Amino acid sequence: MRRKRSEFCVRQVVYHLCSAEMWQELFKVVSDVEWLLARAQMDPLGLVLDLEHAAKQKSEKKSEFDQHSVHLHSLPQLHNRTVKLMAQALRMDLQELQHDYRSVSSQLVGRLIGYESESEVL
């Protein structure tokens, strides 16, 4: 029972954080290696879909958030770009992820290593 509950939490956390518009917490979750591994182990395609969903939600909500504060404008955009890049990188190697979920970290590093400045990725 406990395992099913934790699997449910891992699977549903992105949806709930998006619904609650908790963007900082969402970014912390999707950039956490332990969460990425747990989600990839359960369902590699689900991981990619979660990242794509998070990026889509952030870009749709960004305009509402940005009109209230110019100072915070770049933070959601930067996180949104990072999540999109992560989703694209993992989608490219989805077949490998389905074969070995533990390759999440190496796939992200290998695909994103070309981004030299933090402002491009993080």
Side-chain angles (χ1 to χ4, degrees), residues 3-61:
R3 184 169 183 213
K4 285 186 178 186
R5 179 176 288 168
S6 67
E7 284 181 15
F8 177 78
C9 291
V10 170
R11 289 180 192 265
Q12 297 297 317
V13 70
V14 169
Y15 170 80
H16 289 295
L17 290 173
C18 286
S19 296
E21 298 182 14
M22 298 175 72
W23 308 126
Q24 294 295 327
E25 292 80 1
L26 173 66
F27 186 74
K28 286 178 187 177
V29 168
V30 300
S31 60
D32 180 64
V33 174
E34 289 182 28
W35 180 82
L36 290 166
L37 283 168
R39 187 67 177 108
Q41 183 178 15
M42 285 179 235
D43 179 16
L45 178 58
L47 168 61
V48 172
L49 294 174
D50 279 351
L51 293 172
E52 290 172 348
H53 178 73
K56 180 182 175 194
Q57 295 300 311
K58 286 184 68 66
S59 64
E60 289 174 359
K61 299 292 183 181

Side-chain angles (χ1 to χ4, degrees), residues 55-101:
K56 180 182 175 194
Q57 295 300 311
K58 286 184 68 66
S59 64
E60 289 174 359
K61 299 292 183 181
K62 178 176 56 88
S63 61
E64 296 171 18
F65 182 73
D66 289 344
Q67 52 186 312
H68 298 296
S69 175
V70 174
H71 175 68
L72 296 175
H73 177 74
S74 62
L75 187 62
Q77 272 188 327
L78 207 49
H79 287 183
N80 185 33
R81 177 77 176 134
T82 302
V83 174
K84 281 182 182 178
L85 287 170
M86 291 170 64
Q88 291 169 352
L90 294 177
R91 184 170 281 285
M92 286 180 189
D93 288 318
L94 189 55
Q95 189 173 3
E96 174 63 26
L97 283 178
Q98 290 171 332
H99 176 70
D100 182 10
Y101 74 91

